[in-house]
Amino acid sequence: MTDIIDGDAVAAELRSDLRASIETLADAGVRPGLATVLMSDDPASETYVSMKQRDCEEVGIEGIHVEIDPDAPAEELYDTVADLNADPEVHGVLVQMPVPDHVDDREVVRAVDPQKDVDGFHPENVGRLVAGNPRFKPCTPHGVQKLLDAADVETEGADVTILGRSDIVGKPLANLLVQKTDLGNATVTLCHSRTEDLPAKTRDADVVVAAAGVPEMIDGSMLAEGAVVVDVGINRVEADTDKGYELVGDVEFDSAEEKASAITPVPGGVGPMTRAMLLYNTVAAASRQTGVDVELP
Ligand code: GUN
């Protein structure tokens, strides 16, 4: 039997544990605040940001949302971020990526106060992560770690193959999994578009993490019998549905499920964990900025 790893359930438990930390902060007169900034009219980005705001409301985090016209000058975005950095009621600042082409995304991540950088994208926070002393673990990689832990998948000594070298998922996940920590100590192979003989790399792995953004690029023939498969992909592909599309992962689920010992579905796998870890980072940020200690799950 293949274990279908239920990200919705693991994320719900995490949110429930976080509510206790949020109550501790409330008892001390602190309400965590998360600001989301959207400078895009991409429907998927709009959906992600509105889901993040809904999550905040549900757990008792103050959500602040700012929309900026995608055609506005970049300075408008930097000014907004500067205002949020200076606002003591705002503990976390997230600029939804991607930003328009005329805005330099590296400047954007540098503009966010590293203490409020709940994405963990600021170079100072990336450096700390690589050095093994993270301030904020980026949400998707941290969510993948928590999901593996909840599914009792041991990373210590495991061969993990990651597909995709993005700054948001692949690179930080590789860094987290090689660290000398409970959810680390793995041997990581980080693959990308120029990797030769990808199937050999995935077939060698105890755990395959697909984060390439290519619909259904991994199938069962590329997996070892009993592999654990984590699908980070959320791809909109045209389909004969009411919305005109459906969501598929980077993994061809049916054939992969036949080989895997455990697998995450799309939707309902990594996605809800990413959202839960954003709440986690916001609570951690509020705790650090106010000096009110809380236990984090
Ligand atoms: N766009 C896609 N994923 C993310 C994320 O985790 N954070 C931000 N800020 N933008 C994204």
Side-chain angles (χ1 to χ4, degrees), residues 117-123 125-126 129 136-139 167 172 281:
D117 171 35
V118 284
D119 268 321
F121 295 167
H122 189 286
N125 289 324
V126 175
L129 177 76
F136 295 109
K137 294 185 186 178
C139 302
D167 293 336
N281 279 351

Side-chain angles (χ1 to χ4, degrees), residues 17 20 29 41 93 97 100 118 135 139 170 174 184 205 209 225 291 293:
D17 292 345
D41 45 21
V93 177
M97 299 291 180
V118 284
R135 178 186 279 133
C139 302
V209 182
E225 195 72 50
D293 271 345

Side-chain angles (χ1 to χ4, degrees), residues 134-149:
R135 178 186 279 133
F136 295 109
K137 294 185 186 178
C139 302
T140 301
H142 195 188
V144 169
Q145 271 191 316
K146 291 276 188 194
L147 211 46
L148 290 173
D149 188 37

